[in-house]
Amino acid sequence: MRHTRGVEIRELQPHEADRAVELWAECGLTRPWNDPHADLARALGGANSTVLAAVRGEELVGTAMVGHDGHRGWVYYLAVAPGRRRDGVGRCLMEACEQWLRDRGAPKVQLMVRQGNAAVVEFYAALGYTDQGTITLGRFLDPELEARRRMGSER
Ligand SMILES: CC(C)(COP(=O)(O)OP(=O)(O)OC[C@H]1O[C@@H](n2cnc3c(N)ncnc32)[C@H](O)[C@@H]1OP(=O)(O)O)[C@@H](O)C(=O)NCCC(=O)NCCS
């Protein structure tokens, strides 16, 4: 698909799922109340979502999950391997997500940044992303999962 300095961006293959989840853990993106394997399987199996992979030869160096609701596109699990950062891979993954959304007619792209990960806002700012002035509210539909999340985030 797209290339930057020997890195190819294409859809993640199912056999790369374990490595992708390892990468998310290395990048601090997993949480005890979310099953990343289930998230990944849902995104790969969904009609309006996918996971993009950045690969250098056989090495998975980055990922981004992308999906849309018709209007808004969302990006999750943007991750670049710690040893492969500041080389344009994150930018290339975001551009590939944007193109994936454009190709499907979604006019907007947005994403959530966890409190405590403010450093990444500079990266997104370099790509033209701005604060949309919204607060995200949510809860798990399963009360047990909601209780786990509350306990985990209060730790
Ligand atoms: C955020 C992340 C994906 C960036 O990937 P990357 O490959 O290092 O980013 P790039 O090299 O493409 O950088 C693109 C631009 O952002 C800037 N940038 C990247 N990381 C930055 C940082 N930590 N602080 C400030 N600016 C940064 C770069 O200078 C670059 O600008 P330039 O091209 O004009 O020089 C990577 O740091 C990462 O995986 N972080 C941990 C996971 C994470 O927080 N994901 C986002 C969850 S919301």
Side-chain angles (χ1 to χ4, degrees):
M1 268 169 89
R2 301 166 70 89
H3 291 80
T4 176
R5 287 172 238 187
V7 173
E8 180 193 7
I9 311 284
R10 54 151 171 82
E11 288 204 323
L12 189 88
Q13 303 301 302
H15 73 269
E16 296 168 316
D18 287 347
R19 176 61 197 126
V21 169
E22 270 174 32
L23 178 64
W24 296 348
E26 283 165 26
C27 292
L29 297 179
T30 53
R31 290 296 180 274
W33 54 86
N34 275 346
D35 177 349
H37 288 278
D39 278 358
L40 195 151
R42 273 190 292 261
L44 283 184
N48 296 319
S49 57
T50 194
V51 181
L52 299 180
V55 286
R56 185 191 292 261
E58 296 289 299
E59 185 193 0
L60 182 70
V61 296
T63 66
M65 183 182 287
V66 58
H68 72 88
D69 61 20
H71 175 195
R72 292 177 193 83
W74 287 92
V75 176
Y76 306 90
Y77 289 111
L78 175 71
V80 173
R84 299 292 187 188
R85 290 185 188 163
R86 304 304 280 254
D87 196 28
V89 177
R91 178 189 289 273
C92 199
L93 275 163
M94 286 302 295
E95 287 172 357
C97 289
E98 291 166 9
Q99 192 56 48
W100 189 95
L101 291 167
R102 250 185 235 111
D103 291 345
R104 286 155 185 83
K108 189 170 186 194
V109 58
Q110 52 191 44
L111 50 93
M112 293 179 280
V113 175
R114 286 196 177 106
Q115 283 175 8
N117 194 13
V120 82
V121 172
E122 268 191 64
F123 160 78
Y124 289 120
L127 274 59
Y129 285 69
T130 58
D131 186 338
Q132 298 293 294
T134 59
I135 297 174
T136 309
L137 304 180
R139 72 180 180 88
F140 279 97
L141 300 177
D142 177 340
E144 263 183 47
L145 279 177
E146 180 60 12
R148 279 181 66 192
R149 186 197 65 81
R150 283 177 191 230
M151 278 167 54
S153 61
E154 281 162 14
R155 246 185 253 138

